[in-house]
Amino acid sequence: MPARSSAPWRHVTGAGRRVEINPWLPRAPCSVRACLPEEAVAAGRARRAARLCATLLVLLAALPAFLVMGAAPRLWRARTVQAAARLLLRALGVRVEVVGPVEAVREAAGVLVVANHVSLLDPVVMLAALPCRLLAKREVRRWPLIGALGAACGALFIDRERLSTLPAAVGLIRDALLAGEVVTAFPEGTTSCGREVGTFRPAVFQAAIDAGAAVCPAVLRYYEGESPSSRGSWVGEDSVTGSVARVAGTRRLRAEVRLTALLRPAAPDRGPCGRAALARAAEERVRTGLD
């Protein structure tokens, strides 16, 4: 963790503008060397190449399809994105298993799903598990192909580094929840190898309180066969291409999404104490699920 200063936000000037930088943004203590062992069953070179080619083909085919379905009904779009996410994971050789009250989440009028953050695959896994909109950092919007796909899928892009944008970001999430949508967020703010859970940042929970929406804590775990695996993790100095190649080179990789019972604030407290209490309760649910 970066050292805390007397002022949580500092200002820096760059590219002709003055911006606010939050030095408290979390950093996972994990590294590739320390946390990512060799795969239990490695895929051969031909299988790896086939998986990577298939993944690229799915991405290239999905983008124009997503861009032209903007006028389609919301539920139809969500299910199309869900099917595409499952196809993408299948191309990479990853199987998804969903456990828990899926129907309760689908039938609720707006739900904030919060999960631990392990892998670059996590957003795709959540899209495959549930028709939902993802909360993503603004930088992802600029990633080649992935950013365009995220926007076409309805992702909500927020700026995590500027305090002045926080009310607008909370309002964006609140409006989606009020519209009856499922929004998925990773409130740790960083990835880890999946062995532990970091602190859940409370800001996103304010949107659920303001919308009167339920929160569904979700536990994300990866397995090679029946054994827990950290091969899908994105940690430390890891690159995007390195992480994707490692996934493609691992056989029998499975992602499990374990949804827990819907959670609501114990009292209608709309202030800092209310969102902090809700964040702690959700974090404890996820932490318990990993034990």
Side-chain angles (χ1 to χ4, degrees), residues 132-153:
C132 64
R133 298 183 70 179
L134 296 171
L135 188 64
K137 59 184 181 180
R138 184 187 60 176
E139 296 91 323
V140 174
R141 182 64 181 89
R142 298 194 295 268
W143 289 7
L145 187 58
I146 300 299
L149 280 167
C153 291

Side-chain angles (χ1 to χ4, degrees), residues 209-272:
I209 293 173
D210 291 346
V215 174
C216 179
V219 183
L220 261 173
R221 301 189 75 170
Y222 289 85
Y223 295 85
E224 289 180 64
E226 299 303 318
S227 301
S229 173
S230 56
R231 295 291 299 169
S233 303
W234 186 38
V235 296
E237 71 281 12
D238 207 2
S239 66
V240 173
T241 53
S243 179
V244 172
R246 189 171 56 251
V247 168
T250 304
R251 297 183 65 180
R252 301 172 62 197
L253 192 60
R254 172 171 59 92
E256 180 188 85
V257 180
R258 186 172 295 273
L259 304 175
T260 69
L262 299 185
L263 183 66
R264 295 184 183 274
D269 185 349
R270 295 181 176 271

Side-chain angles (χ1 to χ4, degrees), residues 8 16 28 53 76-77 84 95 122 129 158 168 182 200 248-249 251-252:
C53 289
W76 186 88
R77 292 199 311 269
R95 185 163 59 90
D122 292 349
I158 62 170
V182 176
F200 277 15
R251 297 183 65 180
R252 301 172 62 197

Side-chain angles (χ1 to χ4, degrees), residues 153-173:
C153 291
L156 304 172
F157 295 102
I158 62 170
D159 188 344
R160 301 188 307 169
E161 296 185 347
R162 296 171 59 192
L163 181 61
S164 58
T165 65
L166 183 58
V170 171
L172 191 67
I173 303 165

Side-chain angles (χ1 to χ4, degrees), residues 10-186:
R10 60 186 173 88
H11 296 85
V12 297
T13 302
R17 63 190 181 96
R18 189 167 180 259
V19 297
E20 297 168 301
I21 302 297
N22 183 353
W24 295 2
L25 285 176
R27 295 178 182 174
C30 304
S31 69
V32 173
R33 179 173 296 179
C35 300
L36 304 185
E38 292 298 319
E39 62 272 19
V41 182
R45 290 185 179 181
R47 187 186 294 267
R48 296 185 193 200
R51 285 178 172 178
L52 292 172
C53 289
T55 299
L56 182 58
L57 287 174
V58 172
L59 289 172
L60 292 174
L63 181 56
F66 288 170
L67 291 176
V68 300
M69 68 179 186
R74 186 182 68 193
L75 183 58
W76 186 88
R77 292 199 311 269
R79 288 179 174 172
T80 300
V81 170
Q82 183 180 29
R86 290 175 175 173
L87 183 61
L88 179 62
L89 291 170
R90 185 178 181 85
L92 270 173
V94 181
R95 185 163 59 90
V96 179
E97 180 179 347
V98 186
V99 181
V102 178
E103 290 305 320
V105 174
R106 288 176 176 171
E107 294 172 1
V111 176
L112 176 66
V113 177
V114 291
N116 56 310
H117 205 1
V118 180
S119 169
L120 275 172
L121 296 179
D122 292 349
V124 185
V125 168
M126 296 307 297
L127 286 173
L130 288 167
C132 64
R133 298 183 70 179
L134 296 171
L135 188 64
K137 59 184 181 180
R138 184 187 60 176
E139 296 91 323
V140 174
R141 182 64 181 89
R142 298 194 295 268
W143 289 7
L145 187 58
I146 300 299
L149 280 167
C153 291
L156 304 172
F157 295 102
I158 62 170
D159 188 344
R160 301 188 307 169
E161 296 185 347
R162 296 171 59 192
L163 181 61
S164 58
T165 65
L166 183 58
V170 171
L172 191 67
I173 303 165
R174 178 203 61 215
D175 291 346
L177 293 172
L178 286 172
E181 297 189 273
V182 176
V183 177
T184 294
F186 303 98

